[in-house]
Short mmCIF file of all heavy atoms in Angstrom, two decimals:
data_model
loop_
_atom_site.label_atom_id
_atom_site.label_comp_id
_atom_site.label_asym_id
_atom_site.label_seq_id
_atom_site.Cartn_x
_atom_site.Cartn_y
_atom_site.Cartn_z
N VAL L 22 -23.84 3.15 12.65
CA VAL L 22 -22.42 3.26 12.33
C VAL L 22 -22.27 3.98 11.00
O VAL L 22 -23.24 4.18 10.27
CB VAL L 22 -21.74 1.87 12.24
CG1 VAL L 22 -21.89 1.11 13.55
CG2 VAL L 22 -22.33 1.06 11.08
N GLU L 23 -21.03 4.37 10.70
CA GLU L 23 -20.76 4.99 9.41
C GLU L 23 -20.73 3.91 8.33
O GLU L 23 -20.04 2.90 8.47
CB GLU L 23 -19.43 5.73 9.44
CG GLU L 23 -19.08 6.43 8.13
CD GLU L 23 -17.74 7.13 8.18
OE1 GLU L 23 -17.30 7.47 9.29
OE2 GLU L 23 -17.14 7.32 7.10
N GLY L 24 -21.50 4.13 7.27
CA GLY L 24 -21.53 3.15 6.19
C GLY L 24 -20.21 3.07 5.44
O GLY L 24 -19.41 4.01 5.46
N ARG L 25 -20.01 1.95 4.81
CA ARG L 25 -18.76 1.74 4.06
C ARG L 25 -18.79 2.55 2.76
O ARG L 25 -19.81 2.66 2.10
CB ARG L 25 -18.57 0.26 3.76
CG ARG L 25 -18.34 -0.58 5.02
CD ARG L 25 -18.07 -2.03 4.67
NE ARG L 25 -17.71 -2.80 5.85
CZ ARG L 25 -18.57 -3.39 6.66
NH1 ARG L 25 -19.87 -3.29 6.40
NH2 ARG L 25 -18.16 -4.06 7.72
N THR L 26 -17.63 3.08 2.40
CA THR L 26 -17.51 3.83 1.14
C THR L 26 -16.24 3.39 0.43
O THR L 26 -15.35 2.77 1.02
CB THR L 26 -17.43 5.35 1.39
OG1 THR L 26 -16.30 5.63 2.24
CG2 THR L 26 -18.70 5.86 2.04
N ASN L 27 -16.15 3.73 -0.82
CA ASN L 27 -14.96 3.39 -1.61
C ASN L 27 -14.06 4.61 -1.79
O ASN L 27 -14.53 5.75 -1.85
CB ASN L 27 -15.38 2.88 -3.00
CG ASN L 27 -16.15 1.58 -2.91
OD1 ASN L 27 -15.83 0.71 -2.12
ND2 ASN L 27 -17.18 1.45 -3.75
N ARG L 28 -12.78 4.33 -1.87
CA ARG L 28 -11.82 5.41 -2.14
C ARG L 28 -12.06 5.98 -3.54
O ARG L 28 -12.54 5.26 -4.43
CB ARG L 28 -10.39 4.89 -2.03
CG ARG L 28 -9.99 4.39 -0.66
CD ARG L 28 -8.59 3.78 -0.71
NE ARG L 28 -8.52 2.62 -1.59
CZ ARG L 28 -7.38 2.02 -1.95
NH1 ARG L 28 -6.21 2.50 -1.52
NH2 ARG L 28 -7.39 0.98 -2.75
N LYS L 29 -11.70 7.21 -3.74
CA LYS L 29 -11.79 7.79 -5.08
C LYS L 29 -10.69 8.82 -5.27
O LYS L 29 -10.10 9.32 -4.29
CB LYS L 29 -13.17 8.42 -5.31
CG LYS L 29 -13.47 9.63 -4.46
CD LYS L 29 -14.86 10.18 -4.81
CE LYS L 29 -15.14 11.47 -4.06
NZ LYS L 29 -16.47 12.04 -4.42
N TRP L 30 -10.41 9.15 -6.52
CA TRP L 30 -9.39 10.14 -6.83
C TRP L 30 -9.89 11.54 -6.51
O TRP L 30 -11.02 11.89 -6.83
CB TRP L 30 -9.02 10.09 -8.30
CG TRP L 30 -8.41 8.79 -8.78
CD1 TRP L 30 -8.88 7.98 -9.77
CD2 TRP L 30 -7.21 8.18 -8.31
NE1 TRP L 30 -8.07 6.90 -9.95
CE2 TRP L 30 -7.01 7.00 -9.06
CE3 TRP L 30 -6.27 8.51 -7.32
CZ2 TRP L 30 -5.94 6.13 -8.86
CZ3 TRP L 30 -5.19 7.66 -7.13
CH2 TRP L 30 -5.02 6.49 -7.88
N ALA L 31 -9.05 12.32 -5.89
CA ALA L 31 -9.40 13.71 -5.61
C ALA L 31 -9.28 14.57 -6.87
O ALA L 31 -10.04 15.51 -7.07
CB ALA L 31 -8.50 14.28 -4.51
N ASP L 32 -8.32 14.23 -7.73
CA ASP L 32 -8.11 14.99 -8.96
C ASP L 32 -7.50 14.04 -10.00
O ASP L 32 -6.28 13.78 -9.97
CB ASP L 32 -7.17 16.18 -8.69
CG ASP L 32 -7.06 17.12 -9.89
OD1 ASP L 32 -7.15 16.63 -11.03
OD2 ASP L 32 -6.87 18.32 -9.69
N GLU L 33 -8.31 13.54 -10.91
CA GLU L 33 -7.83 12.56 -11.88
C GLU L 33 -6.76 13.14 -12.80
O GLU L 33 -5.84 12.43 -13.23
CB GLU L 33 -9.00 12.02 -12.70
CG GLU L 33 -9.94 11.12 -11.92
CD GLU L 33 -10.94 10.40 -12.82
OE1 GLU L 33 -10.90 10.61 -14.05
OE2 GLU L 33 -11.74 9.61 -12.28
N THR L 34 -6.86 14.42 -13.12
CA THR L 34 -5.87 15.05 -14.00
C THR L 34 -4.48 15.02 -13.36
O THR L 34 -3.48 14.68 -14.01
CB THR L 34 -6.27 16.50 -14.32
OG1 THR L 34 -7.55 16.51 -14.95
CG2 THR L 34 -5.25 17.16 -15.24
N LYS L 35 -4.42 15.35 -12.07
CA LYS L 35 -3.14 15.34 -11.37
C LYS L 35 -2.59 13.92 -11.23
O LYS L 35 -1.38 13.70 -11.29
CB LYS L 35 -3.30 16.00 -9.99
CG LYS L 35 -3.46 17.50 -10.04
CD LYS L 35 -3.47 18.10 -8.64
CE LYS L 35 -3.60 19.62 -8.71
NZ LYS L 35 -3.62 20.23 -7.35
N VAL L 36 -3.51 12.96 -11.04
CA VAL L 36 -3.09 11.56 -10.95
C VAL L 36 -2.43 11.14 -12.26
O VAL L 36 -1.35 10.54 -12.27
CB VAL L 36 -4.28 10.64 -10.63
CG1 VAL L 36 -3.88 9.17 -10.75
CG2 VAL L 36 -4.81 10.92 -9.23
N ALA L 37 -3.09 11.47 -13.38
CA ALA L 37 -2.56 11.10 -14.70
C ALA L 37 -1.21 11.79 -14.95
O ALA L 37 -0.27 11.17 -15.47
CB ALA L 37 -3.56 11.48 -15.78
N GLU L 38 -1.10 13.06 -14.57
CA GLU L 38 0.15 13.79 -14.78
C GLU L 38 1.28 13.19 -13.95
O GLU L 38 2.42 13.04 -14.43
CB GLU L 38 -0.04 15.26 -14.40
CG GLU L 38 -0.94 16.03 -15.36
CD GLU L 38 -1.23 17.44 -14.87
OE1 GLU L 38 -0.86 17.75 -13.71
OE2 GLU L 38 -1.82 18.22 -15.63
N THR L 39 0.95 12.81 -12.72
CA THR L 39 1.97 12.21 -11.83
C THR L 39 2.46 10.88 -12.37
O THR L 39 3.67 10.60 -12.40
CB THR L 39 1.38 12.02 -10.42
OG1 THR L 39 0.95 13.28 -9.91
CG2 THR L 39 2.41 11.41 -9.47
N LEU L 40 1.53 10.05 -12.82
CA LEU L 40 1.89 8.73 -13.35
C LEU L 40 2.68 8.85 -14.65
O LEU L 40 3.67 8.13 -14.87
CB LEU L 40 0.62 7.90 -13.57
CG LEU L 40 -0.11 7.44 -12.31
CD1 LEU L 40 -1.46 6.84 -12.66
CD2 LEU L 40 0.73 6.42 -11.54
N THR L 41 2.25 9.77 -15.51
CA THR L 41 2.94 9.96 -16.80
C THR L 41 4.37 10.43 -16.56
O THR L 41 5.31 9.98 -17.25
CB THR L 41 2.17 10.97 -17.67
OG1 THR L 41 0.84 10.50 -17.88
CG2 THR L 41 2.86 11.15 -19.01
N ALA L 42 4.54 11.32 -15.60
CA ALA L 42 5.88 11.84 -15.29
C ALA L 42 6.81 10.74 -14.78
O ALA L 42 8.03 10.82 -14.95
CB ALA L 42 5.79 12.96 -14.25
N LYS L 43 6.22 9.70 -14.18
CA LYS L 43 7.01 8.59 -13.66
C LYS L 43 7.18 7.48 -14.71
O LYS L 43 7.73 6.42 -14.40
CB LYS L 43 6.36 8.02 -12.41
CG LYS L 43 6.39 8.95 -11.21
CD LYS L 43 7.84 9.18 -10.74
CE LYS L 43 7.89 10.07 -9.50
NZ LYS L 43 9.29 10.27 -9.02
N GLY L 44 6.67 7.70 -15.92
CA GLY L 44 6.87 6.75 -16.99
C GLY L 44 5.79 5.69 -17.14
O GLY L 44 5.93 4.77 -17.97
N PHE L 45 4.71 5.81 -16.41
CA PHE L 45 3.61 4.85 -16.55
C PHE L 45 2.72 5.27 -17.72
O PHE L 45 2.32 6.44 -17.82
CB PHE L 45 2.79 4.77 -15.27
CG PHE L 45 3.56 4.21 -14.09
CD1 PHE L 45 4.11 5.05 -13.14
CD2 PHE L 45 3.75 2.84 -13.97
CE1 PHE L 45 4.82 4.55 -12.07
CE2 PHE L 45 4.47 2.33 -12.89
CZ PHE L 45 5.01 3.18 -11.95
N THR L 46 2.40 4.33 -18.59
CA THR L 46 1.62 4.66 -19.79
C THR L 46 0.25 3.97 -19.84
O THR L 46 -0.72 4.58 -20.27
CB THR L 46 2.42 4.28 -21.06
OG1 THR L 46 2.77 2.88 -20.99
CG2 THR L 46 3.68 5.13 -21.18
N ASP L 47 0.19 2.73 -19.44
CA ASP L 47 -1.08 1.99 -19.52
C ASP L 47 -1.97 2.31 -18.33
O ASP L 47 -2.19 1.48 -17.43
CB ASP L 47 -0.81 0.48 -19.60
CG ASP L 47 -0.04 0.10 -20.84
OD1 ASP L 47 -0.20 0.80 -21.85
OD2 ASP L 47 0.73 -0.89 -20.77
N ILE L 48 -2.46 3.52 -18.30
CA ILE L 48 -3.24 3.96 -17.13
C ILE L 48 -4.71 4.24 -17.47
O ILE L 48 -5.47 4.70 -16.61
CB ILE L 48 -2.61 5.22 -16.49
CG1 ILE L 48 -2.57 6.37 -17.51
CG2 ILE L 48 -1.23 4.91 -15.95
CD1 ILE L 48 -2.07 7.69 -16.92
N TYR L 49 -5.11 3.95 -18.70
CA TYR L 49 -6.49 4.20 -19.11
C TYR L 49 -7.14 2.90 -19.59
O TYR L 49 -6.48 2.04 -20.16
CB TYR L 49 -6.57 5.24 -20.22
CG TYR L 49 -6.21 6.63 -19.78
CD1 TYR L 49 -4.91 7.11 -19.96
CD2 TYR L 49 -7.15 7.44 -19.16
CE1 TYR L 49 -4.57 8.39 -19.54
CE2 TYR L 49 -6.82 8.72 -18.75
CZ TYR L 49 -5.52 9.19 -18.94
OH TYR L 49 -5.19 10.45 -18.52
N LYS L 50 -8.46 2.80 -19.38
CA LYS L 50 -9.21 1.63 -19.85
C LYS L 50 -10.68 2.01 -20.06
O LYS L 50 -11.43 2.10 -19.08
CB LYS L 50 -9.11 0.49 -18.83
CG LYS L 50 -9.80 -0.79 -19.29
CD LYS L 50 -9.75 -1.84 -18.21
CE LYS L 50 -10.50 -3.08 -18.64
NZ LYS L 50 -10.49 -4.14 -17.62
N PRO L 51 -11.15 2.11 -21.30
CA PRO L 51 -10.32 2.38 -22.49
C PRO L 51 -9.92 3.85 -22.53
O PRO L 51 -8.81 4.19 -22.92
CB PRO L 51 -11.24 2.01 -23.63
CG PRO L 51 -12.61 2.26 -23.11
CD PRO L 51 -12.57 1.93 -21.65
N GLN L 52 -10.86 4.75 -22.11
CA GLN L 52 -10.54 6.18 -22.14
C GLN L 52 -10.64 6.81 -20.76
O GLN L 52 -10.37 7.99 -20.60
CB GLN L 52 -11.49 6.91 -23.11
CG GLN L 52 -11.32 6.48 -24.57
CD GLN L 52 -12.27 7.22 -25.49
OE1 GLN L 52 -13.27 7.79 -25.03
NE2 GLN L 52 -11.97 7.25 -26.77
N THR L 53 -11.01 6.03 -19.79
CA THR L 53 -11.12 6.54 -18.44
C THR L 53 -9.95 6.04 -17.60
O THR L 53 -9.39 4.97 -17.85
CB THR L 53 -12.44 6.08 -17.78
OG1 THR L 53 -12.49 4.64 -17.79
CG2 THR L 53 -13.64 6.63 -18.52
N LEU L 54 -9.58 6.82 -16.61
CA LEU L 54 -8.46 6.47 -15.75
C LEU L 54 -8.77 5.20 -14.98
O LEU L 54 -9.91 4.99 -14.53
CB LEU L 54 -8.19 7.62 -14.78
CG LEU L 54 -6.92 7.51 -13.92
CD1 LEU L 54 -5.68 7.60 -14.81
CD2 LEU L 54 -6.91 8.63 -12.88
N LEU L 55 -7.75 4.33 -14.85
CA LEU L 55 -7.95 3.09 -14.10
C LEU L 55 -8.35 3.40 -12.66
O LEU L 55 -8.05 4.46 -12.11
CB LEU L 55 -6.65 2.28 -14.09
CG LEU L 55 -6.19 1.68 -15.43
CD1 LEU L 55 -4.83 1.02 -15.26
CD2 LEU L 55 -7.21 0.67 -15.94
N GLY L 56 -9.04 2.45 -12.04
CA GLY L 56 -9.45 2.60 -10.66
C GLY L 56 -8.26 2.56 -9.72
O GLY L 56 -7.14 2.19 -10.09
N ILE L 57 -8.51 2.94 -8.47
CA ILE L 57 -7.42 3.03 -7.48
C ILE L 57 -6.75 1.68 -7.27
O ILE L 57 -5.52 1.59 -7.19
CB ILE L 57 -7.98 3.59 -6.15
CG1 ILE L 57 -8.41 5.04 -6.35
CG2 ILE L 57 -6.93 3.49 -5.05
CD1 ILE L 57 -9.05 5.67 -5.14
N GLY L 58 -7.55 0.62 -7.20
CA GLY L 58 -6.97 -0.70 -6.99
C GLY L 58 -6.03 -1.11 -8.10
O GLY L 58 -4.94 -1.65 -7.85
N ALA L 59 -6.43 -0.84 -9.34
CA ALA L 59 -5.60 -1.20 -10.49
C ALA L 59 -4.31 -0.37 -10.53
O ALA L 59 -3.22 -0.88 -10.83
CB ALA L 59 -6.38 -1.02 -11.78
N ILE L 60 -4.42 0.91 -10.22
CA ILE L 60 -3.24 1.78 -10.20
C ILE L 60 -2.30 1.36 -9.07
O ILE L 60 -1.06 1.37 -9.22
CB ILE L 60 -3.65 3.26 -10.03
CG1 ILE L 60 -4.44 3.74 -11.25
CG2 ILE L 60 -2.43 4.14 -9.79
CD1 ILE L 60 -3.65 3.84 -12.53
N GLU L 61 -2.87 0.97 -7.95
CA GLU L 61 -2.06 0.53 -6.81
C GLU L 61 -1.24 -0.71 -7.18
O GLU L 61 -0.06 -0.82 -6.82
CB GLU L 61 -2.99 0.22 -5.63
CG GLU L 61 -2.29 0.05 -4.30
CD GLU L 61 -3.27 -0.08 -3.16
OE1 GLU L 61 -4.32 -0.75 -3.35
OE2 GLU L 61 -3.01 0.46 -2.07
N THR L 62 -1.88 -1.62 -7.94
CA THR L 62 -1.16 -2.81 -8.40
C THR L 62 -0.07 -2.42 -9.41
O THR L 62 1.04 -2.98 -9.40
CB THR L 62 -2.14 -3.80 -9.05
OG1 THR L 62 -3.13 -4.18 -8.09
CG2 THR L 62 -1.41 -5.05 -9.54
N LEU L 63 -0.39 -1.45 -10.27
CA LEU L 63 0.54 -1.02 -11.32
C LEU L 63 1.82 -0.42 -10.74
O LEU L 63 2.93 -0.74 -11.18
CB LEU L 63 -0.15 -0.02 -12.25
CG LEU L 63 0.67 0.52 -13.42
CD1 LEU L 63 0.96 -0.61 -14.42
CD2 LEU L 63 -0.09 1.65 -14.13
N VAL L 64 1.67 0.46 -9.75
CA VAL L 64 2.84 1.16 -9.20
C VAL L 64 3.46 0.42 -8.02
O VAL L 64 4.59 0.73 -7.62
CB VAL L 64 2.48 2.60 -8.78
CG1 VAL L 64 1.89 3.36 -9.95
CG2 VAL L 64 1.52 2.60 -7.59
N GLY L 65 2.71 -0.53 -7.47
CA GLY L 65 3.20 -1.26 -6.31
C GLY L 65 2.66 -0.68 -5.02
O GLY L 65 2.63 0.55 -4.84
N LYS L 66 2.21 -1.56 -4.14
CA LYS L 66 1.58 -1.08 -2.90
C LYS L 66 2.54 -0.28 -2.02
O LYS L 66 2.10 0.62 -1.30
CB LYS L 66 1.02 -2.27 -2.13
CG LYS L 66 -0.22 -2.88 -2.77
CD LYS L 66 -0.89 -3.89 -1.85
CE LYS L 66 -2.18 -4.40 -2.48
NZ LYS L 66 -2.91 -5.34 -1.59
N LYS L 67 3.83 -0.61 -2.07
CA LYS L 67 4.79 0.12 -1.24
C LYS L 67 5.00 1.55 -1.74
O LYS L 67 5.18 2.49 -0.96
CB LYS L 67 6.12 -0.62 -1.22
CG LYS L 67 6.09 -1.93 -0.42
CD LYS L 67 7.48 -2.53 -0.35
CE LYS L 67 7.47 -3.82 0.47
NZ LYS L 67 8.83 -4.45 0.55
#
């Protein structure tokens, strides 16, 4: 079968730009972009 893999960002720079434009600021820990799960919680799953 196909092994399990984790989601990842296709372009972290674009992710940061998109979040910043929407007013999200606490998106780094400490200097790296938060993981997908943390960002999903931050912006809301919907």
Side-chain angles (χ1 to χ4, degrees):
V22 301
E23 181 181 336
R25 294 183 174 87
T26 59
N27 295 321
R28 297 175 297 171
K29 66 179 185 178
W30 298 121
D32 188 328
E33 290 191 0
T34 301
K35 287 186 178 180
V36 171
E38 290 174 351
T39 301
L40 290 170
T41 301
K43 292 294 182 179
F45 294 99
T46 56
D47 297 330
I48 60 175
Y49 290 96
K50 184 184 177 181
Q52 295 180 341
T53 58
L54 188 67
L55 291 175
I57 293 176
I60 295 292
E61 193 173 39
T62 301
L63 181 67
V64 304
K66 288 190 175 182
K67 289 185 179 180

